[in-house]
Amino acid sequence: QLFGGPTYQLFGSGCGSHSEEFPPYIIDHPTDLVVRWDQPATLNCRVAGSPAPTIEWYRNGEYVETSKDNVYSQRTLLPDGSLFFLRLNQRKGQSDEGVYTCVATNHLGTASSKNASLYIAALREDFRLQPSNLLVTVGEQVLLECAPPRGHPEPTISWKKDGVPISQKVSSGKLLMVHAQRSDAGLYVCVASNQAGQRESKAALVSVLGEETVPSLGLAHWAWRSVDSQAALGCGVEGDPLPKVWWHKEHGELPWGRYENTLRIHYVTTFDSGRYICTAQNQVGTASAKASLTVQGKQLHTAFTASSMPGLGHAHGQQRDLSAQHTLLPACPGNWGRRKAVTCDWAHVTSLPCPPTSPISSGPL
């Protein structure tokens, strides 16, 4: 019984018998749909009427051809009146996107459904704004921003840290950490998603530093080992994060045998004379210190003089003295014996054996 009127027996599309005739009306209206181009889609439309109404679909006001009209069509009119797409067409001028209307007709009248829009989901590749690397100290605010690729429907934004999804709430694509902690350091990726798929931004490195961030270093005194005529110079480094350390020689190449914070020169010759520089660097600043080495080769006599000069560290345009000046003056008497290495900064005396003279270490300075 319809709204207190006479009793009708209702028929969907394709029903044969009837008791009393009545014009068609729409039971279920189609709704907006967003679908991937390579997936099937169905626009629903269920009608009633007696005699059973015929169903037609219109897209943007134009009749939609289905498989009953063309056996090669990807569109099929289902028995209940719904429109089924095996695969959506994206070709220019033939796209299935548009506004659809279901129309039911019998000899008593016509009923049209509400309009329903069909969209093919899309998501471009390029992010409109990539997240940037950030360097902050503990307690500072971290704000990572991201503008996703254009797409339909509008993609949603989430974030990953070191490859793991973050459950933290995201506002307008922005990831906010009010008070940064050391544990917040890592690689962050912005993720854009919709029905068309998922896109990931370039990774942004977030570094969280403590208060002591500027590298500082100091050179130890030269050490001598007579067994293999080895000279060694240590470079003590501090900084947060721990700085990277490397050595180089002014106006020349480093000899073989250098190791991280300690420079080792095996089988020292006059060619090893020169100024050696230790450099320490982290994300916040750089520091360097220099030490000079002079090798004098004479018959039965070898002598070193070495000194280190203050290094300068800098961070954000500032400079400060990072190492004290010190001098090593080992001397060997004219005959075989022992020599003394004196380091003024450490106020101690080390007795070292004088190495035998070898042809490779003799010659002018």
Side-chain angles (χ1 to χ4, degrees):
Q1 186 173 6
L2 299 177
F3 308 109
T7 301
Y8 297 102
Q9 183 173 350
L10 304 182
F11 297 90
S13 173
C15 293
S17 60
H18 63 276
S19 54
E20 293 190 33
E21 297 182 343
F22 58 92
Y25 68 94
I26 309 297
I27 298 175
D28 288 330
H29 292 265
T31 56
D32 293 345
L33 201 58
V34 180
V35 188
R36 286 173 55 109
W37 72 271
D38 57 348
Q39 293 182 343
T42 302
L43 287 170
N44 294 318
C45 181
R46 194 158 63 93
V47 304
S50 181
T54 58
I55 306 295
E56 292 180 340
W57 282 87
Y58 292 83
R59 171 185 167 272
N60 299 336
E62 296 184 0
Y63 176 74
V64 175
E65 186 180 72
T66 64
S67 57
K68 70 182 180 65
D69 306 301
N70 182 353
V71 293
Y72 298 107
S73 175
Q74 297 289 313
R75 298 177 291 268
T76 300
L77 185 64
L78 300 180
D80 67 350
S82 298
L83 183 62
F84 173 76
F85 298 81
L86 180 63
R87 178 172 294 185
L88 297 177
N89 193 340
Q90 293 188 100
R91 285 179 293 181
K92 189 175 181 179
Q94 301 180 33
S95 173
D96 286 321
E97 283 189 316
V99 179
Y100 285 79
T101 307
C102 169
V103 178
T105 305
N106 66 14
H107 72 277
L108 294 177
T110 298
S112 297
S113 71
K114 296 178 181 177
N115 290 338
S117 296
L118 175 64
Y119 297 102
I120 299 175
L123 184 60
R124 294 187 178 181
E125 295 288 339
D126 298 330
F127 278 73
R128 287 172 283 171
L129 175 64
Q130 296 276 3
S132 301
N133 295 340
L134 292 177
L135 177 63
V136 299
T137 57
V138 171
E140 286 187 333
Q141 176 179 287
V142 175
L143 180 62
L144 287 167
E145 297 184 88
C146 163
R150 298 188 184 280
H152 189 87
E154 185 67 23
T156 58
I157 295 296
S158 59
W159 289 83
K160 290 181 181 180
K161 174 180 177 285
D162 297 329
V164 179
I166 299 174
S167 58
Q168 185 172 336
K169 185 178 179 180
V170 176
S171 175
S172 301
K174 300 177 182 179
L175 179 64
L176 176 64
M177 291 169 273
V178 179
H179 301 292
Q181 303 299 319
R182 290 294 187 96
S183 58
D184 293 323
L187 286 173
Y188 287 79
V189 171
C190 176
V191 182
S193 306
N194 69 5
Q195 286 95 320
Q198 189 177 91
R199 305 284 186 268
E200 292 191 357
S201 71
K202 296 177 181 177
L205 176 63
V206 174
S207 301
V208 183
L209 309 176
E211 295 180 0
E212 297 294 331
T213 59
V214 182
S216 61
L217 54 81
L219 294 179
H221 59 286
W222 286 96
W224 171 259
R225 190 170 68 182
S226 62
V227 176
D228 55 358
S229 300
Q230 179 190 126
L233 179 63
C235 185
V237 179
E238 292 183 353
D240 186 8
L242 187 64
K244 178 184 177 181
V245 177
W246 70 92
W247 291 87
H248 70 278
K249 183 183 180 183
E250 284 187 352
H251 313 300
E253 295 183 359
L254 279 178
W256 293 102
R258 53 197 184 280
Y259 301 95
E260 297 180 357
N261 289 34
T262 301
L263 174 69
R264 301 180 188 276
I265 308 173
H266 298 273
Y267 305 105
V268 175
T269 74
T270 54
F271 296 105
D272 294 316
S273 294
R275 182 171 291 177
Y276 294 86
I277 302 171
C278 174
T279 302
Q281 185 178 51
N282 62 15
Q283 291 96 319
V284 181
T286 302
S288 63
K290 303 177 182 179
S292 60
L293 171 65
T294 303
V295 181
Q296 294 176 338
K298 295 182 180 180
Q299 185 178 7
L300 299 178
H301 179 85
T302 302
F304 291 71
T305 60
S307 64
S308 69
M309 293 180 296
L312 291 177
H314 56 84
H316 304 306
Q318 298 181 344
Q319 293 188 334
R320 62 171 178 159
D321 190 351
L322 292 173
S323 63
Q325 185 167 353
H326 48 82
T327 304
L328 171 65
L329 297 171
C332 182
N335 56 359
W336 289 102
R338 304 185 65 80
R339 68 174 184 170
K340 291 183 177 180
V342 182
T343 58
C344 62
D345 283 347
W346 288 271
H348 71 272
V349 176
T350 304
S351 182
L352 299 173
C354 188
T357 303
S358 60
I360 195 171
S361 63
S362 62
L365 176 62

